[in-house]
Coordinates of all heavy atoms in Angstrom, one line a residue:
M25 N 79.4 -3.2 -43.4 CA 78.2 -2.5 -43.7 C 77.9 -2.5 -45.2 O 76.7 -2.7 -45.6 CB 78.2 -1.1 -43.2 CG 76.9 -0.4 -43.2 SD 77.0 1.3 -42.5 CE 76.4 2.2 -43.8
S26 N 78.9 -2.4 -46.0 CA 78.7 -2.4 -47.4 C 78.4 -3.8 -48.0 O 78.8 -4.8 -47.4 CB 79.9 -1.8 -48.2 OG 81.0 -2.7 -48.0
N27 N 77.6 -3.9 -49.0 CA 77.3 -5.1 -49.6 C 78.5 -5.6 -50.5 O 79.2 -4.7 -51.1 CB 76.0 -5.0 -50.5 CG 74.8 -4.8 -49.6 OD1 74.8 -5.3 -48.5 ND2 73.8 -4.1 -50.1
I28 N 78.6 -6.9 -50.6 CA 79.8 -7.3 -51.4 C 79.4 -8.4 -52.4 O 78.4 -9.1 -52.2 CB 80.9 -8.0 -50.5 CG1 80.2 -8.9 -49.4 CG2 81.7 -6.9 -49.8 CD1 81.1 -9.8 -48.8
N29 N 80.2 -8.5 -53.5 CA 80.1 -9.7 -54.3 C 81.5 -10.0 -54.8 O 82.5 -9.3 -54.4 CB 79.1 -9.4 -55.5 CG 79.6 -8.3 -56.4 OD1 80.7 -7.8 -56.3 ND2 78.8 -8.0 -57.4
E30 N 81.6 -11.1 -55.5 CA 82.9 -11.6 -56.0 C 83.8 -10.5 -56.5 O 84.9 -10.3 -56.1 CB 82.7 -12.6 -57.1 CG 82.2 -13.9 -56.6 CD 83.2 -14.7 -55.8 OE1 84.2 -15.1 -56.3 OE2 83.0 -14.8 -54.6
A31 N 83.3 -9.8 -57.5 CA 84.1 -8.8 -58.2 C 84.0 -7.4 -57.5 O 84.6 -6.5 -58.0 CB 83.6 -8.7 -59.6
N32 N 83.2 -7.3 -56.4 CA 83.1 -6.1 -55.7 C 82.5 -5.0 -56.6 O 83.0 -3.8 -56.6 CB 84.4 -5.7 -55.1 CG 84.2 -4.8 -53.9 OD1 83.1 -4.8 -53.3 ND2 85.2 -4.0 -53.5
V33 N 81.6 -5.3 -57.4 CA 81.0 -4.4 -58.3 C 79.8 -3.8 -57.6 O 78.9 -4.5 -57.1 CB 80.5 -5.1 -59.6 CG1 79.8 -4.1 -60.6 CG2 81.6 -5.8 -60.3
P34 N 79.7 -2.4 -57.6 CA 78.5 -1.8 -56.9 C 77.3 -2.1 -57.7 O 77.3 -2.2 -58.9 CB 78.9 -0.3 -56.9 CG 80.2 -0.2 -57.6 CD 80.7 -1.5 -58.1
E35 N 76.2 -2.1 -57.0 CA 74.9 -2.4 -57.6 C 74.6 -1.4 -58.8 O 74.1 -1.8 -59.8 CB 73.8 -2.3 -56.6 CG 72.4 -2.4 -57.2 CD 71.3 -2.4 -56.2 OE1 71.2 -3.4 -55.5 OE2 70.5 -1.4 -56.1
K36 N 74.9 -0.2 -58.6 CA 74.5 0.8 -59.6 C 75.2 0.5 -60.9 O 74.6 0.6 -62.0 CB 75.0 2.2 -59.1 CG 74.6 3.3 -60.1 CD 75.0 4.7 -59.6 CE 74.6 5.7 -60.6 NZ 74.9 5.5 -62.0
E37 N 76.4 -0.1 -60.9 CA 77.1 -0.4 -62.1 C 76.4 -1.6 -62.8 O 76.3 -1.6 -64.0 CB 78.5 -0.9 -61.7 CG 79.6 -0.4 -62.7 CD 81.0 -0.5 -62.1 OE1 81.4 0.3 -61.3 OE2 81.6 -1.5 -62.4
L38 N 75.9 -2.5 -62.0 CA 75.2 -3.7 -62.6 C 73.9 -3.2 -63.3 O 73.6 -3.6 -64.4 CB 74.9 -4.7 -61.5 CG 76.1 -5.5 -60.9 CD1 75.6 -6.3 -59.8 CD2 76.8 -6.3 -62.0
L39 N 73.1 -2.4 -62.5 CA 71.9 -1.9 -63.1 C 72.1 -1.0 -64.3 O 71.4 -1.1 -65.3 CB 71.1 -1.1 -62.0 CG 70.7 -1.9 -60.8 CD1 70.0 -1.0 -59.7 CD2 69.9 -3.1 -61.1
D40 N 73.1 -0.2 -64.3 CA 73.5 0.6 -65.4 C 73.9 -0.2 -66.6 O 73.6 0.1 -67.8 CB 74.6 1.6 -65.1 CG 74.2 2.7 -64.2 OD1 72.9 2.9 -64.0 OD2 75.0 3.5 -63.7
A41 N 74.4 -1.4 -66.4 CA 74.9 -2.3 -67.4 C 73.7 -3.1 -68.0 O 73.9 -4.0 -68.8 CB 76.0 -3.2 -67.0
G42 N 72.5 -3.0 -67.4 CA 71.4 -3.7 -67.9 C 71.0 -4.9 -67.1 O 70.2 -5.7 -67.6
Y43 N 71.6 -5.1 -66.0 CA 71.2 -6.2 -65.1 C 69.9 -5.9 -64.4 O 69.6 -4.8 -64.0 CB 72.3 -6.5 -64.0 CG 73.5 -7.2 -64.6 CD1 74.5 -6.5 -65.3 CD2 73.6 -8.6 -64.4 CE1 75.6 -7.2 -65.8 CE2 74.7 -9.3 -64.9 CZ 75.7 -8.5 -65.6 OH 76.8 -9.2 -66.1
R44 N 69.1 -7.0 -64.3 CA 67.8 -6.9 -63.5 C 68.0 -7.5 -62.2 O 68.7 -8.5 -62.0 CB 66.7 -7.6 -64.3 CG 65.4 -6.9 -64.2 CD 64.3 -7.6 -64.9 NE 63.2 -7.6 -63.9 CZ 62.1 -8.2 -64.1 NH1 61.9 -8.9 -65.1 NH2 61.1 -8.1 -63.1
K45 N 67.4 -6.9 -61.2 CA 67.6 -7.3 -59.8 C 66.5 -8.2 -59.3 O 65.3 -8.0 -59.5 CB 67.6 -6.0 -58.9 CG 67.9 -6.3 -57.4 CD 67.9 -5.0 -56.7 CE 68.3 -5.2 -55.2 NZ 68.4 -3.9 -54.5
Y46 N 66.9 -9.3 -58.6 CA 66.0 -10.2 -58.0 C 66.4 -10.3 -56.5 O 67.4 -11.0 -56.2 CB 66.1 -11.6 -58.7 CG 65.7 -11.6 -60.2 CD1 66.6 -11.2 -61.1 CD2 64.4 -11.9 -60.6 CE1 66.2 -11.1 -62.5 CE2 64.0 -11.8 -61.9 CZ 65.0 -11.4 -62.8 OH 64.6 -11.3 -64.2
S47 N 65.6 -9.7 -55.7 CA 66.0 -9.5 -54.3 C 65.7 -10.8 -53.5 O 64.7 -11.4 -53.7 CB 65.2 -8.4 -53.7 OG 65.5 -7.2 -54.3
G48 N 66.6 -11.0 -52.6 CA 66.4 -12.1 -51.6 C 66.7 -11.5 -50.2 O 67.2 -10.4 -50.1
K49 N 66.5 -12.4 -49.2 CA 66.8 -12.0 -47.8 C 68.3 -11.8 -47.6 O 68.7 -10.8 -47.0 CB 66.2 -13.0 -46.9 CG 64.8 -12.7 -46.5 CD 64.4 -13.5 -45.2 CE 63.1 -14.1 -45.2 NZ 62.9 -15.4 -45.8
E50 N 69.0 -12.8 -48.0 CA 70.5 -12.8 -47.7 C 71.3 -12.3 -48.9 O 72.5 -12.0 -48.7 CB 70.9 -14.2 -47.3 CG 70.3 -14.6 -45.9 CD 70.8 -15.9 -45.5 OE1 71.8 -16.4 -46.0 OE2 70.2 -16.5 -44.5
M51 N 70.8 -12.4 -50.1 CA 71.5 -12.0 -51.3 C 70.6 -11.5 -52.3 O 69.4 -11.9 -52.4 CB 72.4 -13.1 -51.8 CG 71.6 -14.3 -52.3 SD 72.5 -15.5 -53.3 CE 74.2 -15.3 -53.0
D52 N 71.0 -10.6 -53.1 CA 70.3 -10.1 -54.3 C 71.0 -10.7 -55.5 O 72.3 -10.8 -55.6 CB 70.3 -8.6 -54.4 CG 69.5 -8.0 -53.3 OD1 68.5 -8.6 -52.8 OD2 69.9 -6.8 -52.9
I53 N 70.2 -11.2 -56.5 CA 70.8 -11.8 -57.7 C 70.5 -10.8 -58.8 O 69.4 -10.2 -58.9 CB 70.2 -13.2 -57.9 CG1 70.6 -14.1 -56.8 CG2 70.6 -13.7 -59.3 CD1 70.0 -15.6 -56.9
Y54 N 71.4 -10.7 -59.7 CA 71.3 -9.8 -60.9 C 71.5 -10.6 -62.1 O 72.4 -11.4 -62.2 CB 72.3 -8.7 -60.8 CG 72.2 -7.9 -59.5 CD1 72.8 -8.4 -58.4 CD2 71.5 -6.7 -59.5 CE1 72.6 -7.6 -57.2 CE2 71.4 -5.9 -58.4 CZ 72.0 -6.4 -57.2 OH 71.8 -5.7 -56.0
Y55 N 70.6 -10.3 -63.1 CA 70.7 -11.1 -64.3 C 70.6 -10.2 -65.5 O 69.8 -9.3 -65.6 CB 69.4 -12.1 -64.4 CG 69.2 -12.8 -65.7 CD1 70.1 -13.7 -66.1 CD2 68.1 -12.5 -66.5 CE1 69.9 -14.3 -67.4 CE2 67.9 -13.1 -67.7 CZ 68.8 -14.0 -68.1 OH 68.6 -14.7 -69.3
N56 N 71.5 -10.5 -66.5 CA 71.5 -9.7 -67.7 C 71.2 -10.6 -68.9 O 72.0 -11.4 -69.3 CB 72.9 -9.0 -67.9 CG 72.9 -8.0 -69.0 OD1 72.1 -8.2 -70.0 ND2 73.7 -7.0 -68.9
Q57 N 70.0 -10.4 -69.4 CA 69.5 -11.3 -70.5 C 70.3 -11.1 -71.8 O 70.4 -12.1 -72.6 CB 68.0 -10.9 -70.8 CG 67.3 -11.8 -71.7 CD 65.8 -11.4 -71.8 OE1 65.4 -10.3 -71.5 NE2 65.0 -12.4 -72.2
Q58 N 70.9 -9.9 -72.0 CA 71.6 -9.7 -73.2 C 72.9 -10.5 -73.2 O 73.5 -10.8 -74.3 CB 71.9 -8.2 -73.4 CG 70.7 -7.5 -73.8 CD 70.7 -6.0 -73.4 OE1 71.5 -5.6 -72.6 NE2 69.8 -5.2 -74.0
I59 N 73.4 -10.8 -72.0 CA 74.7 -11.5 -71.9 C 74.5 -13.0 -71.9 O 75.3 -13.8 -72.4 CB 75.5 -11.1 -70.7 CG1 75.8 -9.6 -70.8 CG2 76.7 -11.9 -70.5 CD1 76.5 -9.0 -69.5
C60 N 73.3 -13.5 -71.4 CA 73.0 -14.9 -71.2 C 73.1 -15.6 -72.5 O 72.5 -15.2 -73.5 CB 71.6 -15.0 -70.6 SG 71.1 -16.7 -70.4
E61 N 73.7 -16.8 -72.5 CA 73.8 -17.6 -73.7 C 73.0 -18.9 -73.5 O 73.1 -19.9 -74.3 CB 75.2 -17.9 -74.1 CG 75.9 -16.7 -74.7 CD 77.4 -16.9 -75.0 OE1 77.9 -18.0 -74.9 OE2 78.0 -16.0 -75.5
H62 N 72.2 -18.9 -72.5 CA 71.2 -20.0 -72.3 C 72.0 -21.4 -72.2 O 71.5 -22.4 -72.7 CB 70.1 -20.0 -73.4 CG 69.5 -18.7 -73.5 ND1 68.6 -18.2 -72.6 CD2 69.6 -17.7 -74.4 CE1 68.3 -17.0 -72.9 NE2 68.9 -16.7 -74.0
A63 N 73.1 -21.3 -71.6 CA 73.9 -22.6 -71.4 C 73.1 -23.5 -70.4 O 73.3 -24.7 -70.4 CB 75.3 -22.3 -70.9
G64 N 72.4 -22.9 -69.5 CA 71.5 -23.6 -68.6 C 72.2 -24.1 -67.3 O 71.5 -24.8 -66.5
N65 N 73.4 -23.7 -67.0 CA 74.0 -24.1 -65.8 C 73.2 -23.7 -64.5 O 73.1 -24.4 -63.5 CB 75.4 -23.4 -65.6 CG 76.4 -24.0 -66.6 OD1 76.0 -24.7 -67.6 ND2 77.7 -23.7 -66.4
C66 N 72.6 -22.5 -64.6 CA 71.8 -22.0 -63.5 C 70.6 -22.9 -63.2 O 70.4 -23.4 -62.1 CB 71.4 -20.6 -63.8 SG 70.6 -20.4 -65.4
V67 N 69.8 -23.2 -64.3 CA 68.6 -24.0 -64.1 C 69.0 -25.4 -63.7 O 68.3 -26.0 -62.8 CB 67.9 -24.1 -65.5 CG1 66.6 -24.9 -65.4 CG2 67.5 -22.6 -65.9
R68 N 70.0 -26.0 -64.3 CA 70.5 -27.3 -63.8 C 71.0 -27.3 -62.4 O 70.9 -28.2 -61.7 CB 71.6 -27.9 -64.8 CG 71.0 -28.6 -66.0 CD 72.1 -29.4 -66.7 NE 73.2 -28.5 -67.1 CZ 73.2 -27.8 -68.2 NH1 72.2 -27.8 -69.1 NH2 74.3 -27.1 -68.5
G69 N 71.7 -26.2 -62.1 CA 72.3 -26.1 -60.8 C 71.3 -26.0 -59.6 O 71.5 -26.7 -58.6
N70 N 70.2 -25.3 -59.8 CA 69.1 -25.3 -58.8 C 67.8 -24.9 -59.4 O 67.5 -23.7 -59.5 CB 69.5 -24.4 -57.6 CG 68.5 -24.6 -56.5 OD1 67.4 -25.1 -56.7 ND2 68.9 -24.3 -55.3
P71 N 67.0 -25.8 -59.8 CA 65.7 -25.5 -60.5 C 64.7 -24.8 -59.6 O 63.7 -24.3 -60.1 CB 65.2 -26.9 -61.0 CG 66.0 -27.9 -60.3 CD 67.3 -27.3 -59.8
D72 N 64.9 -24.9 -58.3 CA 64.0 -24.2 -57.4 C 64.3 -22.7 -57.4 O 63.4 -21.8 -57.3 CB 64.2 -24.6 -55.9 CG 63.8 -26.1 -55.8 OD1 62.9 -26.5 -56.5 OD2 64.4 -26.8 -54.9
V73 N 65.6 -22.3 -57.6 CA 65.9 -20.9 -57.7 C 65.7 -20.3 -59.1 O 65.2 -19.2 -59.2 CB 67.4 -20.7 -57.2 CG1 67.8 -19.2 -57.4 CG2 67.6 -21.2 -55.8
F74 N 66.1 -21.1 -60.1 CA 66.1 -20.6 -61.4 C 65.0 -21.5 -62.2 O 65.3 -22.7 -62.4 CB 67.4 -20.8 -62.1 CG 68.5 -20.0 -61.4 CD1 69.3 -20.7 -60.4 CD2 68.8 -18.7 -61.7 CE1 70.3 -20.0 -59.8 CE2 69.8 -18.0 -61.0 CZ 70.5 -18.7 -60.0
E75 N 63.9 -20.9 -62.6 CA 62.9 -21.6 -63.3 C 62.4 -20.8 -64.5 O 61.7 -19.8 -64.3 CB 61.8 -22.0 -62.4 CG 60.8 -22.9 -63.1 CD 59.6 -23.4 -62.2 OE1 59.8 -23.3 -61.0 OE2 58.6 -23.7 -62.8
V76 N 62.8 -21.2 -65.6 CA 62.4 -20.5 -66.8 C 60.9 -20.5 -67.0 O 60.3 -21.6 -66.9 CB 63.1 -21.1 -68.1 CG1 62.7 -20.4 -69.4 CG2 64.7 -21.0 -67.9
G77 N 60.3 -19.4 -67.3 CA 58.9 -19.4 -67.5 C 58.1 -19.0 -66.2 O 57.0 -18.5 -66.3
R78 N 58.7 -19.1 -65.0 CA 58.1 -18.6 -63.8 C 58.3 -17.1 -63.7 O 59.3 -16.5 -64.3 CB 58.7 -19.3 -62.6 CG 58.1 -18.9 -61.3 CD 58.9 -19.6 -60.1 NE 60.3 -19.2 -60.1 CZ 61.2 -19.9 -59.4 NH1 60.9 -20.9 -58.7 NH2 62.4 -19.4 -59.4
R79 N 57.4 -16.4 -63.0 CA 57.6 -15.0 -62.8 C 57.6 -14.7 -61.3 O 56.6 -15.0 -60.6 CB 56.5 -14.2 -63.4 CG 56.8 -14.0 -64.9 CD 55.6 -13.4 -65.6 NE 56.1 -12.8 -66.8 CZ 56.4 -11.5 -67.0 NH1 56.3 -10.7 -66.0 NH2 56.9 -11.1 -68.1
P80 N 58.7 -14.3 -60.7 CA 60.0 -14.0 -61.3 C 60.7 -15.3 -61.6 O 60.5 -16.3 -60.8 CB 60.7 -13.2 -60.3 CG 60.2 -13.6 -59.0 CD 58.7 -13.9 -59.2
W81 N 61.5 -15.3 -62.6 CA 62.2 -16.6 -62.9 C 63.3 -16.9 -61.9 O 63.7 -18.1 -61.8 CB 62.6 -16.7 -64.4 CG 63.9 -16.1 -64.7 CD1 64.2 -14.8 -64.9 CD2 65.2 -16.8 -64.9 NE1 65.5 -14.6 -65.2 CE2 66.2 -15.8 -65.2 CE3 65.5 -18.1 -64.8 CZ2 67.5 -16.2 -65.5 CZ3 66.9 -18.5 -65.1 CH2 67.8 -17.5 -65.4
I82 N 63.8 -15.9 -61.2 CA 64.8 -16.2 -60.2 C 64.2 -15.8 -58.8 O 63.7 -14.7 -58.6 CB 66.1 -15.3 -60.4 CG1 66.7 -15.6 -61.8 CG2 67.1 -15.5 -59.3 CD1 67.9 -14.7 -62.1
I83 N 64.3 -16.8 -57.9 CA 63.9 -16.6 -56.5 C 65.1 -17.0 -55.6 O 65.3 -18.2 -55.3 CB 62.6 -17.3 -56.1 CG1 61.5 -16.9 -57.1 CG2 62.2 -17.1 -54.7 CD1 60.1 -17.6 -56.8
A84 N 65.8 -16.0 -55.2 CA 67.0 -16.2 -54.4 C 66.8 -17.0 -53.2 O 67.5 -17.9 -52.8 CB 67.7 -14.9 -54.1
D85 N 65.6 -16.7 -52.5 CA 65.4 -17.3 -51.2 C 64.9 -18.8 -51.3 O 64.8 -19.5 -50.3 CB 64.2 -16.6 -50.5 CG 64.7 -15.2 -50.0 OD1 66.0 -15.0 -50.0 OD2 63.9 -14.3 -49.7
N86 N 64.8 -19.3 -52.5 CA 64.5 -20.8 -52.7 C 65.7 -21.6 -52.5 O 65.6 -22.9 -52.6 CB 63.8 -21.0 -54.0 CG 62.4 -20.7 -54.0 OD1 61.8 -20.2 -53.0 ND2 61.7 -20.9 -55.1
G87 N 66.9 -21.0 -52.3 CA 68.1 -21.8 -52.2 C 68.9 -21.2 -51.0 O 68.8 -20.1 -50.6
E88 N 69.8 -22.1 -50.5 CA 70.8 -21.6 -49.5 C 71.8 -20.7 -50.1 O 72.2 -20.9 -51.3 CB 71.6 -22.9 -49.0 CG 70.7 -23.9 -48.3 CD 70.3 -23.5 -46.9 OE1 71.1 -22.8 -46.3 OE2 69.3 -24.0 -46.5
T89 N 72.2 -19.7 -49.4 CA 73.2 -18.7 -49.9 C 74.4 -19.4 -50.5 O 74.9 -19.1 -51.6 CB 73.6 -17.7 -48.9 OG1 72.4 -17.0 -48.5 CG2 74.6 -16.7 -49.4
K90 N 75.0 -20.3 -49.7 CA 76.2 -21.0 -50.2 C 76.0 -21.7 -51.5 O 76.8 -21.7 -52.4 CB 76.7 -22.0 -49.1 CG 77.6 -21.4 -48.0 CD 79.0 -21.8 -48.3 CE 80.0 -21.2 -47.3 NZ 80.0 -19.7 -47.4
S91 N 74.9 -22.5 -51.6 CA 74.6 -23.2 -52.8 C 74.3 -22.2 -53.9 O 74.7 -22.5 -55.1 CB 73.4 -24.2 -52.5 OG 72.5 -24.2 -53.5
N92 N 73.6 -21.2 -53.7 CA 73.3 -20.1 -54.7 C 74.6 -19.6 -55.2 O 74.8 -19.4 -56.5 CB 72.5 -19.0 -54.1 CG 71.1 -19.3 -53.9 OD1 70.6 -20.4 -54.3 ND2 70.3 -18.4 -53.3
E93 N 75.6 -19.4 -54.4 CA 76.9 -18.8 -54.8 C 77.6 -19.8 -55.8 O 78.1 -19.3 -56.8 CB 77.8 -18.6 -53.6 CG 77.6 -17.3 -52.9 CD 78.6 -17.1 -51.8 OE1 79.7 -16.5 -52.1 OE2 78.4 -17.5 -50.7
R94 N 77.5 -21.1 -55.4 CA 78.1 -22.1 -56.3 C 77.5 -22.0 -57.7 O 78.2 -22.0 -58.7 CB 77.9 -23.5 -55.7 CG 79.2 -24.1 -55.4 CD 79.1 -25.6 -55.0 NE 77.8 -26.0 -54.5 CZ 77.5 -26.1 -53.2 NH1 78.4 -25.7 -52.3 NH2 76.4 -26.5 -52.8
V95 N 76.2 -22.0 -57.7 CA 75.5 -22.0 -59.0 C 75.8 -20.7 -59.8 O 76.1 -20.7 -61.0 CB 74.0 -22.2 -58.8 CG1 73.2 -22.1 -60.1 CG2 73.7 -23.5 -58.1
L96 N 75.7 -19.6 -59.1 CA 75.9 -18.3 -59.7 C 77.3 -18.2 -60.3 O 77.5 -17.7 -61.4 CB 75.7 -17.2 -58.7 CG 74.2 -17.0 -58.3 CD1 74.1 -16.3 -57.0 CD2 73.4 -16.3 -59.4
N97 N 78.3 -18.8 -59.6 CA 79.6 -18.7 -60.1 C 79.9 -19.7 -61.2 O 80.9 -19.6 -61.9 CB 80.6 -19.0 -58.9 CG 80.7 -17.9 -57.9 OD1 80.5 -16.7 -58.3 ND2 81.0 -18.2 -56.7
S98 N 78.9 -20.6 -61.5 CA 79.1 -21.5 -62.6 C 78.5 -21.0 -63.9 O 78.7 -21.6 -64.9 CB 78.4 -22.9 -62.2 OG 77.0 -22.7 -62.5
C99 N 77.9 -19.8 -63.8 CA 77.4 -19.2 -65.1 C 78.7 -18.8 -65.9 O 79.5 -18.1 -65.5 CB 76.6 -17.9 -64.7 SG 76.2 -17.0 -66.2
P100 N 78.7 -19.3 -67.1 CA 79.9 -19.2 -67.9 C 80.0 -17.8 -68.6 O 81.1 -17.5 -69.1 CB 79.8 -20.3 -69.0 CG 78.3 -20.5 -69.1 CD 77.7 -20.2 -67.8
T101 N 79.0 -17.0 -68.6 CA 79.0 -15.8 -69.4 C 79.1 -14.5 -68.5 O 79.4 -13.4 -69.1 CB 77.7 -15.6 -70.2 OG1 76.6 -15.6 -69.3 CG2 77.5 -16.8 -71.1
G102 N 78.9 -14.6 -67.3 CA 78.8 -13.4 -66.4 C 77.4 -12.8 -66.4 O 77.2 -11.6 -66.0
A103 N 76.4 -13.5 -67.0 CA 75.1 -12.9 -67.0 C 74.4 -12.9 -65.6 O 73.5 -12.2 -65.4 CB 74.2 -13.8 -68.0
L104 N 75.0 -13.7 -64.7 CA 74.5 -13.7 -63.4 C 75.5 -13.1 -62.4 O 76.7 -13.5 -62.5 CB 74.2 -15.2 -62.9 CG 73.0 -15.9 -63.6 CD1 73.0 -17.3 -63.1 CD2 71.7 -15.2 -63.2
K105 N 75.1 -12.2 -61.6 CA 75.9 -11.6 -60.6 C 75.1 -11.6 -59.3 O 73.9 -11.8 -59.3 CB 76.3 -10.2 -60.9 CG 76.9 -10.0 -62.2 CD 78.4 -10.2 -62.2 CE 79.0 -9.9 -63.5 NZ 80.4 -10.5 -63.7
Y106 N 75.8 -11.4 -58.2 CA 75.1 -11.4 -56.9 C 75.8 -10.4 -55.9 O 77.0 -10.2 -56.1 CB 74.9 -12.8 -56.3 CG 76.2 -13.4 -55.9 CD1 76.8 -13.3 -54.7 CD2 76.9 -14.2 -56.9 CE1 78.0 -14.0 -54.4 CE2 78.1 -14.8 -56.6 CZ 78.6 -14.7 -55.3 OH 79.8 -15.3 -55.0
I107 N 75.0 -10.0 -55.0 CA 75.5 -9.2 -53.9 C 75.0 -9.7 -52.6 O 73.8 -9.8 -52.5 CB 75.2 -7.7 -54.1 CG1 75.9 -7.1 -55.4 CG2 75.7 -6.9 -52.9 CD1 75.6 -5.6 -55.6
K108 N 75.9 -10.2 -51.8 CA 75.4 -10.7 -50.5 C 75.2 -9.6 -49.5 O 75.8 -8.5 -49.5 CB 76.5 -11.6 -49.9 CG 76.6 -12.9 -50.6 CD 77.2 -14.0 -49.7 CE 78.7 -13.8 -49.7 NZ 79.4 -14.9 -48.9
K109 N 74.1 -9.8 -48.7 CA 73.8 -8.7 -47.7 C 74.5 -9.1 -46.4 O 74.6 -10.3 -46.1 CB 72.3 -8.7 -47.5 CG 71.6 -8.3 -48.8 CD 70.1 -8.3 -48.6 CE 69.4 -7.9 -49.9 NZ 68.0 -7.9 -49.9
E110 N 74.9 -8.1 -45.7 CA 75.5 -8.3 -44.4 C 74.3 -8.6 -43.5 O 73.4 -7.8 -43.3 CB 76.2 -7.0 -43.9 CG 77.3 -6.6 -44.8 CD 78.6 -7.4 -44.5 OE1 78.7 -8.0 -43.4 OE2 79.4 -7.5 -45.4
T111 N 74.4 -9.8 -42.9 CA 73.3 -10.1 -41.9 C 73.9 -10.0 -40.5 O 75.0 -10.5 -40.2 CB 72.7 -11.5 -42.1 OG1 73.8 -12.4 -42.4 CG2 71.8 -11.5 -43.3
A112 N 73.2 -9.3 -39.6 CA 73.7 -9.0 -38.3 C 73.7 -10.3 -37.5 O 73.0 -11.2 -37.7 CB 72.8 -8.0 -37.6
Ligands
SF4_204 S1 74.1 -20.1 -66.4 FE1 74.3 -18.0 -67.1 S2 74.5 -18.1 -69.3 FE2 73.7 -20.0 -68.6 S3 71.5 -19.8 -68.8 FE3 72.1 -19.3 -66.7 S4 72.3 -17.1 -66.8 FE4 72.4 -17.8 -68.9

């Protein structure tokens, strides 16, 4: 029933730490601009999901969950986090 992510960090902790939430059907993505070093792994990893200049710049549902996870885990700074939703 509970939502999970890699580090098992509750959403409240992410939001309190300054992460912004980008909701998707199967997963929510969280981004912290203050931590991001613009290495670009996200944009290179999937330009459909991460597009600088678009609003919102992250659209989780433009990518498969598995592929999103791979890209999110490639962020070198921890600026990107995610919480997968339990789908029935
Ligand atoms: S991969 Fe992480 S650090 Fe690099 S641009 Fe994307 S969010 Fe920022």
